[in-house]
Amino acid sequence: MNIPDIVYALSTSDSAVEQNLRERLAALAAEAGLLDVAYRTLDTPVGSLLLAATDRGLVRVAFPRQDHDAVLQTLAEQISPRILRAPARLDRVAHEIDEYFLSKRTSFDVPLDFRLSKGFRLEVLHHLPEIEYGHTASYAAVAAAAGSPKAVRAVGTACALNPLPVVVPCHRVVRSDGSMGQYAGGPEAKSILLTLEAAA
């Protein structure tokens, strides 16, 4: 078994001893400057979310249907192969997401790393938090707010490829007729998020 296999085995195991080893490995890697991307999973009403962060902030949130292993592989290719399961690095993010699902939080205060989005897609993501909790906006309205009123389809693409769903609220963007439209987490997840916010 080579070193990557050992790291993977430690990061996927659930025993108390191996969890302790994993935490020590993560701490040592961080101290040595060898941990570029920390990740953990979090159980939520919309399934187990993968959370990943760099030293700049939260860089990725992924739903189960997006295949967590594939997401981690993409992060290794796009950011750095030095990825390790290090739950403590994401405690604050996890706490805020828990508060959100308990209807105790309407916005997020964690630092965000937007390096996975560029150009107009990044512009759209910066406008999404302006849609207030419990409200929705049409793709056309978001396109106008982002400075390109005709780029309705591009807004749809930006929302579909949003690397930070839930925290950057692309679920609040709906079709002009009020129907939900597509969502990376699936229609049920989008419905759960909108219903949660509407009930608050």
Side-chain angles (χ1 to χ4, degrees):
M1 181 177 278
N2 59 35
I3 290 174
D5 289 337
I6 294 169
V7 170
Y8 181 77
L10 285 174
S11 58
T12 56
S13 173
D14 288 328
S15 82
V17 172
E18 288 173 342
Q19 181 177 347
N20 185 37
L21 285 172
R22 181 173 61 237
E23 290 170 359
R24 288 173 56 198
L25 177 61
L28 289 170
E31 287 173 17
L34 300 174
L35 178 56
D36 294 332
V37 183
Y39 76 91
R40 69 172 291 172
T41 55
L42 179 68
D43 290 333
T44 75
V46 292
S48 177
L49 296 180
L50 173 72
L51 310 175
T54 65
D55 58 355
R56 297 185 199 173
L58 183 67
V59 73
R60 191 72 171 89
V61 177
F63 292 96
R65 67 182 294 175
Q66 294 175 296
D67 186 350
H68 292 176
D69 287 339
V71 170
L72 290 171
Q73 180 60 42
T74 300
L75 290 174
E77 294 166 0
Q78 295 182 339
I79 298 177
S80 168
R82 300 192 303 191
I83 297 177
L84 193 61
R85 184 173 180 180
R89 287 269 299 266
L90 290 134
D91 280 349
R92 180 179 168 192
V93 175
H95 179 69
E96 290 198 9
I97 291 175
D98 282 339
E99 287 184 328
Y100 169 81
F101 281 109
L102 291 170
S103 299
K104 295 180 178 178
R105 173 174 291 276
T106 59
S107 63
F108 295 90
D109 300 318
V110 294
L112 303 176
D113 181 346
F114 285 102
R115 76 176 75 190
L116 297 177
S117 299
K118 294 180 174 45
F120 184 69
R121 291 178 187 170
L122 180 58
E123 194 69 28
V124 169
L125 297 187
H126 284 309
H127 283 282
L128 295 181
E130 296 173 4
I131 307 170
E132 293 183 17
Y133 181 94
H135 294 77
T136 59
S138 68
Y139 291 97
V142 174
S148 299
K150 295 182 179 179
V152 177
R153 283 181 178 240
V155 168
T157 300
C159 288
L161 299 178
N162 176 9
L164 298 165
V166 181
V167 176
V168 176
C170 57
H171 59 274
R172 296 178 192 158
V173 184
V174 297
R175 292 176 174 155
S176 296
D177 63 4
S179 61
M180 288 193 306
Q182 300 296 315
Y183 189 58
E188 183 179 356
K190 186 166 186 174
S191 177
I192 288 170
L193 294 170
L194 292 175
T195 301
L196 170 76
E197 295 187 6

